[in-house]
Each structure stands twice: as structure tokens, then as C-alpha cells.
Amino acid sequence: MKKIIDFTLNGREVSAEVESHKMLLQVLRDTFQLTGTKDGCGQGECGACTVLVDGISINSCLYPAFEVDGKSVTTIEGLVGEGNKLHPIQEAFVENGGIQCGFCTPGMIMSAKALLDENPDPTDEELKKGISGNLCRCTGYVQIVDSIRKAAKSLK
Amino acid sequence: MKKFDYFQPETLKDAYSLIEKSNGSYIYIAGGTDLIANIKNRLIQPDALISLRRIKEISGITQNKDLTLGSMTLLRDIEKDSHIGQNYPALAQAVKILATPQIRNVATIGGNLCNSAPSADCAPPLLVLEASVTLEGPGGQRSIAIEDFFMGPGQTCMNMSEILTRIRITPPGENTGMAFLKVGRVSTDIAIVNAAACLTMEKNVCRKCRLSVGAVAPVPLRLRSVEKMIEGQEISPELLNRAGKMVEEEVKPITDVRSTSGYRRIMSGVLIKRAIEEAIRRMEQNK
Ligand SMILES: Cc1cc2nc3c(=O)[nH]c(=O)nc-3n(C[C@H](O)[C@H](O)[C@H](O)COP(=O)(O)OP(=O)(O)OC[C@H]3O[C@@H](n4cnc5c(N)ncnc54)[C@H](O)[C@@H]3O)c2cc1C
Ligand code: FES
Ligand code: FES
């Protein structure tokens, strides 16, 4: 079964014919070639596939593509500003060693974005809870938490 | 992953008529956080999913005389509801530490119950609050006690075409305190053991006691014999120890990837003791 879905993707109106058994993750990566969103566990465990749907963070590996019809999706590619300028959260990750291999980074940054949009001034506890759905194999999280804390400051 | 069709009906009627046509090869989907993972792992292979997301009447929180939760209410919305946080803290706590933010943003309370995992975190609070659930199908609707809903791992008393539409909780009244506790490997994980308590006190004496543990038997358990032993008694350390021992005898835990049956047995007693203490502490704070 196929259907045309219309939605907003990183601020642009888009439309695509998708198969009913596809998850949003596949549509983003295969149909729209937005490979910033990563395919990790595919089971909701690791958070590498995190994107925002109507501003709220979700695991795109478990999100049926038909359900984004009429909604607004933001991926890591949508954070970059004019002239390819990095978003302050991205910049903070680069500057504070929040990235090593980078596989978890897009999902981590989308979770950080969702958190800071809802709570611009999180406590350390709230911050850690905010990224509790994102696993990182490399950094040990300390630099990630540090990066988000600094991003929160620069966003104020 | 096996291919499947995907339907998005806007009314309960349309949902039933789709499932009735399918001879058991279609299945309802709520947030999909259990279901899609099960399909990917080939535990089930449905021909089509019938999404309940567009059926508006089964979503949302209302408090009249009773608290009513539509089955499609997101865990996220329960977590953020200050009325529930204030008046039903055991449920609020369960939802707050269930899975990850991304999961809570799409998972529903109805899905948590219908999935019928012995470890479902919403089950113990709803059992101690003596919630009732409304099941609706082409043949009409029925309302049953949550205790009669779970039949075994992955099994409920619903028939194939029925939909869980609402969960109803009667406010527990004065001098009542409640708590939910969970032990897991990490905070976002499925419970090794979870437990809830709801106690109504008259000075030091317990007038009404409701207890539940999960992940230690084929279904989330109400602990009736322990409740009976506690009611009418003054809460003392000796009484709590006796309660803990009784819980250990009543549970039937298994060993799996998360824990051993021995650890689960001991922790179920410990968690019930702590949940009772926490419930009483909460009640005293609210005075
Ligand atoms: C990483 C991860 C961590 C998790 N951690 C926890 C945890 O800590 N605690 C916990 O309890 N759970 C946990 N879960 C399990 C799951 O997220 C929850 O059980 C969730 O509440 C399921 O809700 P859903 O809306 O996604 O259900 P779905 O997956 O959509 O549905 C689950 C089942 O219920 C049926 N169903 C759903 N709604 C209805 C309805 N209204 N009427 C009839 N049938 C219905 C579906 O057909 C399906 O069989 C976790 C899952 C993941 C992936
Ligand atoms: S790929 Fe989606 S959570 Fe791991
Ligand atoms: S930087 Fe490698 S997984 Fe996080």
C-alpha cells in the first residue's frame, strides 16, 4: 500500500509517495537523502534516529511514515542557519569535545534542542534526564553534558 | 521487515469494521513503541496496522467526579499534568521514569496496558487505585476492574476487535498517601521489579491498604492477603517486615536477562516495605 504524504521538512513543504510499512527514518534517509539522522538499533533504545515532530523529540525508527502527514519534521540538517552557520548547540558540541566518532551526535543534538526549547535553563539533573534516551559509545557523556550546558548559556 | 498496510480511521466504528474484515491478521497500533519493535523482531507479522491516533474521542485527561484518561493519552501528557502529579502521585511517578523522553512523547497509557507486559509500569499504580477500564467493540461496551484485565504475558481479556477506550479512577479521599517505586538496571530500563502502595490512615492505624508488584509473576499482582494483614493494624517496623516476608512468598518471579528470580523475590518484599513507608510519608506531608 502506498500513499502520498505532505509535510513540512526543515521548514519546506514537501510531499512524497511512501510505502505503508516504512518508518519515518527510512523516508528521511532514502527518499530525502537526509543521512544526518542515523539508523542505530532500530528499536527505540539508542536515540541515534531522534528527530522532532511538531517540535517534540521522537525515535524515527519506530514512527510510521504515514503518521507525519500534515505535520512538521525537523532533522539535524534543519538546524543549520543561513550561510551554513552552525546552530549554537552544534557549535557548543564542536567546541567542547561533545563529539568523538559522531554517530550519536545528530540524535543527541536533537534531544538537546527539544530539551532547551521546553526548558531553557535546565538543572544538571534535568539535562541528564533530557538525554537519557541517547546512548553514546565514545565520550563518556561528560563533554556532552558540558556542551549542552554551554549551549544553554549562549542561547540565552 | 515484513510489509504491512496502514489504516488511519477517524472513528471507533471505522476501526472495528477494518479489523472485523481481517480475520485476525490486522492489529491496532497506538504509539507503536512496543508493536513496531515486535514486528521488527518478527514476534508478530500482521498484514495491516490500524492506527488509533486519529480517533479524537479516546484521547485526553478529564477530572469530574472521577479522573478519566483516554487510552490514547500520551505518557508525556500524563507526566506534565500537574493535577495528576498532585493527586495521583503514584501514577505520575510511574510515568515519569518510564522509558526515555522520546518514547514517552509517543507511547500511550492504553498501549502500556494492552501490551500486557508483567513489568508494565502503569499497572501497579492503577491496581492500587482500583481503576476500571472501558472496552468497546462492535458488540457494545463493557467496563471491568483493571485487576481482571491482565491474563498473562502479552495477553489481556480483550477480544480481537475490542479497543480499550478509557481508564477511570475514583479519587481516593482524605488521609490517603500513595507511592510507586521501581528498580531497573538503569533508570530508563524496563523494571526488574516495580511496586505501588496506596494507604488510607487514621492516626497510626491503616484503614485501607492496596498493594501491587510487577515483573515478578505472569501478570502485575494485587497483593490481597498482605493488604488484609495490614488493614486495622498500626504500621510498625515489625509489621513491615512481616509484610515483606509475605510478599516474597506470594510472588512467582523468573530469571531473565534483567535479573535472577532470587533477586526479584527479595526486592519485591523490600520495595513493598519502602512503598508503604513512602505512601505514609506523602500523606503526612499533605496534611
Ligand atoms: C527503549 C524502550 C524502553 C521502554 N521502557 C519501558 C519502561 O520502562 N516501562 C514500561 O512499562 N514500558 C517500557 N517500554 C514499553 C513501551 O514503550 C510501553 O509499554 C508503551 O506504553 C506502549 O505504548 P504504545 O502506545 O507505544 O503501544 P503500542 O506499541 O502501539 O501497542 C502495544 C500493544 O497494545 C495494543 N494496543 C495499544 N493500544 C490499544 C487500545 N487502545 N486498544 C486495544 N489494543 C491496543 C497494540 O495492538 C499492541 O499489541 C519501553 C519500550 C522501549 C522501546
Ligand atoms: S535507531 Fe532509533 S532508537 Fe536506535
Ligand atoms: S561520539 Fe561516538 S557514539 Fe557518541
Side-chain angles (χ1 to χ4, degrees), chain A residues 41-82:
Chain A
C41 65
Q43 310 260 340
E45 302 273 351
C46 75
C49 64
T50 304
V51 301
L52 309 186
V53 173
D54 289 347
I56 287 167
S57 64
I58 60 117
N59 300 118
S60 62
C61 68
L62 296 179
Y63 201 89
F66 275 25
E67 297 287 356
V68 297
D69 200 14
K71 297 201 155 77
S72 169
V73 178
T74 310
T75 70
I76 188 75
E77 288 88 350
L79 293 195
V80 179
E82 259 176 52

Side-chain angles (χ1 to χ4, degrees), chain B residues 242-280:
Chain B
R242 235 171 91 203
K245 281 275 168 292
M246 281 177 82
V247 176
E248 286 183 27
E249 276 159 31
E250 206 149 308
V251 298
K252 298 178 192 65
I254 57 163
T255 295
D256 65 10
V257 290
R258 290 197 173 76
S259 182
T260 61
S261 63
Y263 183 69
R264 283 197 160 104
R265 187 179 297 282
I266 292 169
M267 282 316 291
S268 57
V270 172
L271 277 200
I272 283 291
K273 283 194 274 185
R274 286 189 194 152
I276 294 172
E277 289 174 328
E278 176 76 22
I280 293 174

Side-chain angles (χ1 to χ4, degrees), chain A residues 43-45 62, chain B residues 27-37 52 58 71-72 75 97-100 103 106-112 114-115 119-122 158 162-165 182 188-191:
Chain A
Q43 310 260 340
E45 302 273 351
L62 296 179
Chain B
I27 188 166
Y28 295 127
I29 176 172
T33 60
D34 278 309
L35 188 70
I36 297 290
L52 304 178
I58 60 173
S71 62
M72 287 301 289
L75 299 181
I97 57 175
L98 193 159
T100 65
I103 299 275
V106 297
T108 64
I109 186 161
N112 190 249
C114 292
N115 193 54
S119 58
D121 283 327
C122 295
M158 285 188 295
E162 274 180 317
I163 293 176
L164 168 58
T165 52
K182 164 174 168 178
T188 58
D189 199 16
I190 309 273

Side-chain angles (χ1 to χ4, degrees), chain A residues 98-105 108 135-140 144:
Chain A
I99 309 170
Q100 286 186 28
C101 79
F103 193 84
C104 72
T105 311
M108 202 63 91
L135 299 181
C136 174
R137 186 69 179 80
C138 307
T139 62
I144 291 177

